[in-house]
Amino acid sequence: MNSDKNYKKVSHVVLTSHTNQVYKEVFPIHWGASDPMQRGPIIATISDKSHRNAIGTHSGSYTVYRALSIAAGHFPVDHKADLANTEATNPIGPYDSWKDPEKIVSLDPWGAMINEHFLDLIRSGIDIRPTIAVTQARLHIPEIREAIDAGRLPIDGKIVSQAKDIKTTKVAIEPVWYLPGIAKRFGLSEGDLRKILFQETGGMFPELVTRPDLKILLPPIGSTTAYIFGDLKDLADPSVELTCRVHDECNGSDVFGSDICTCRPYLTHGIEDAARTAQKGGVGLVVYFRKEGRALGEVTKFLVYNARKRQKGGDSAATYFMRTECVAGVEDARFQELMPDVLHYFGVKKIHNLHSMSNMKYDAIVNSGIEVVNRISIPEDLVPADAQVEIEAKKAAGYFTQGEVKKDKKLEKVKGRKLDE
Ligand SMILES: [Zn+2]
């Protein structure tokens, strides 16, 4: 450890929340302005605090790891990013939705075009970073390989390759919150929102309450990733068939194949259908949100699993939501109100096939002005045995389904495995 040598700043700490340290905003933000220069770049650099017009720093939750790396002497304190050749592989927008200060409030639609719009400022020494990156990839997924082998996804050399993988454009999006817009979305005053965010994070960002002039927060939360199959530009064309899955992270199922829920089968089914739509001349979109365990986290989630399986009578669809609420305080902390922002970023106006049974997601999308034609529930044969409890409980609670909704005695009979089985 040689942190003293590398981290010279450690000797004195500048509190930007101090009244004598309130800087006149060099680059004011006019959220929703149609011209990116007029809107203003988001500047969250810590190398020159006087340039900052945002609270928080880049990289979401990883900002803490970066700090640790600097503390350990592994990371140069004054590193300036060399952004040569990092430009997006596919252009996105601008769309009308970018110019509406209320349509998008949780990401920066100009965040992938830093080099195009703010190059002069960057050259003059302002540390402006992209908050969105766009690249291309091929996906190797066992379930997709099965779909190809079964003839459900033909090899066409365009979407599905000879190697049985699928081509995709992927877009990583960091959260950039416009606080007045977030407050309005939740029906709060901006002051109340700032105060609660400050208090409930243990006072992490004092500027939330001391710097009302700073309207942007880069919250230390997970990012969002969009996977597009077909031509990205078609997402904004309502006449092109769009198949879409909006998926909230579930590490246990998505990555490890844990069978207590339907997350991975629903995700891979969504990817398969999105790719198939692209093969038919449409476009597919799968959006992955880092909102593990209904945004309650994995520790809470595993506690709930135990509480469900140890309760009197065992794990039952009839008591599924109640057990979550007992442990977590709420059934669900995901608040889908911010989710449609990413759809508006891509200019989506109409979703022909929405892969989701969640009414919260459906309502949020429709209330944000996007038309939904068909809702697609997970096919029965893809539901793992132990996930019957979850799926039947959700259907009974009003989640969308084309199938039967079990009630009362029938619902009570839907049981999960015991803990040690
Ligand atoms: Zn899950």
Side-chain angles (χ1 to χ4, degrees), residues 350-354 362 365-366 370-375:
K350 184 173 180 177
I351 298 172
H352 299 73
N353 312 298
L354 176 66
Y362 173 80
I365 291 170
V366 171
I370 293 171
E371 183 189 348
V372 173
V373 183
N374 300 310
R375 299 172 72 180

Side-chain angles (χ1 to χ4, degrees), residues 22-231:
V22 174
Y23 301 107
K24 290 272 168 277
E25 265 194 85
V26 184
F27 299 98
I29 301 289
H30 300 289
W31 194 259
S34 54
D35 178 74
M37 276 307 285
Q38 203 190 358
R39 203 301 300 272
I42 305 294
I43 308 173
T45 178
I46 39 174
S47 54
D48 187 341
K49 291 191 176 64
S50 68
H51 293 156
R52 282 168 63 81
N53 62 10
I55 303 168
T57 54
H58 288 289
S59 308
S61 53
Y62 301 109
T63 190
V64 181
Y65 285 110
R66 189 187 54 199
L68 264 184
S69 180
I70 289 171
H74 301 315
F75 196 110
V77 177
D78 295 324
H79 174 70
K80 278 243 165 82
D82 175 1
L83 298 174
N85 295 327
T86 62
E87 292 87 356
T89 51
N90 305 63
I92 299 172
Y95 298 112
D96 286 345
S97 48
W98 297 21
K99 302 162 191 169
D100 179 338
E102 293 184 13
K103 231 17 167 201
I104 298 173
V105 298
S106 63
L107 61 90
D108 175 11
W110 302 101
M113 296 193 281
I114 301 302
N115 281 0
E116 284 163 76
H117 297 296
F118 305 122
L119 195 59
D120 287 346
L121 291 173
I122 293 170
R123 284 191 176 139
S124 76
I126 313 282
D127 187 12
I128 302 168
R129 304 278 177 102
T131 54
I132 297 177
V134 187
T135 189
Q136 297 198 327
R138 291 181 179 208
L139 307 183
H140 290 271
I141 301 173
E143 288 89 337
I144 295 299
R145 204 161 274 236
E146 280 172 27
I148 295 166
D149 289 339
R152 300 198 300 273
L153 279 179
I155 291 170
D156 61 1
K158 282 195 218 154
I159 305 291
V160 179
S161 78
Q162 287 290 344
K164 298 183 184 174
D165 52 24
I166 46 179
K167 289 184 186 170
T168 186
T169 302
K170 54 182 186 177
V171 183
I173 303 166
E174 271 181 24
V176 177
W177 287 7
Y178 177 59
L179 291 168
I182 300 266
K184 188 154 188 200
R185 196 72 70 86
F186 284 91
L188 289 165
S189 75
E190 187 190 335
D192 283 348
L193 173 69
R194 285 171 173 267
K195 198 168 75 184
I196 294 166
L197 283 173
F198 172 68
Q199 285 172 340
E200 296 300 322
T201 53
M204 190 175 238
F205 297 113
E207 292 145 308
L208 280 169
V209 286
T210 60
R211 294 290 305 274
D213 57 313
L214 298 177
K215 298 294 185 191
I216 304 294
L217 169 68
L218 273 57
I221 59 172
S223 55
T224 299
T225 318
Y227 287 82
I228 297 107
F229 308 93
D231 189 343

Side-chain angles (χ1 to χ4, degrees), residues 266-302:
Y266 215 160
L267 177 62
T268 54
H269 179 62
I271 293 171
E272 178 186 327
D273 207 29
R276 189 161 37 244
T277 303
Q279 287 195 309
K280 289 188 300 184
V283 61
L285 171 65
V286 175
V287 191
Y288 195 85
F289 296 87
R290 304 308 195 291
K291 287 196 275 186
E292 175 61 64
R294 300 192 193 138
L296 296 164
E298 244 188 350
V299 170
T300 299
K301 187 177 182 175
F302 291 6

